[in-house]
Amino acid sequence: MEKNNPHFVNFALRCAGLTQADIASRLDRKVNTVCAVVNGRGRSRRIEAIISLMTGVPLHELWPKWYDADGRRISRRRRSIDQAVRQFERAQAMLQRAA
């Protein structure tokens, strides 16, 4: 299953015998809040960390867009730089194929 996908996070929760409602009740949060984090519409370090801890899946596997392999949050600036590098590499590859 593809990572960086809400289905992967839900799959990890199901494999651990958990639901979003379980996470919400343990953190005294609304299910809608947990749902928003899982679906990428909201961010909460606490919710992301608890899901990672309770499923046994590292943060960078659940949310590779947001966390590096060391579990540190990736800044917006670093994400935009990484995105620019990927675009540049794609453009280079297209030029090499055209040549």
Side-chain angles (χ1 to χ4, degrees), residues 13-99:
L13 285 168
R14 279 194 308 275
C15 287
L18 299 166
T19 64
Q20 292 180 14
D22 294 332
I23 301 295
S25 68
R26 290 178 192 206
L27 293 174
D28 196 30
R29 298 287 179 107
K30 294 182 181 180
V31 176
N32 291 345
T33 305
V34 174
C35 182
V37 170
V38 168
N39 289 311
R41 292 188 316 267
R43 300 294 318 278
S44 167
R45 288 181 192 206
R46 185 173 177 214
I47 292 172
E48 292 163 352
I50 291 296
I51 290 173
S52 174
L53 182 69
M54 295 183 80
T55 60
V57 180
L59 285 165
H60 73 277
E61 289 185 19
L62 292 170
W63 292 281
K65 179 178 172 183
W66 302 112
Y67 292 93
D68 64 15
D70 296 326
R72 291 183 309 230
R73 254 183 161 184
I74 298 172
S75 68
R76 285 185 182 169
R77 183 170 187 258
R78 185 168 140 205
R79 277 196 310 273
S80 64
I81 290 169
D82 290 347
Q83 182 180 11
V85 167
R86 283 192 302 275
Q87 288 174 345
F88 177 75
E89 289 170 347
R90 275 190 238 123
Q92 268 188 324
M94 287 174 49
L95 289 173
Q96 288 175 352
R97 279 182 271 171

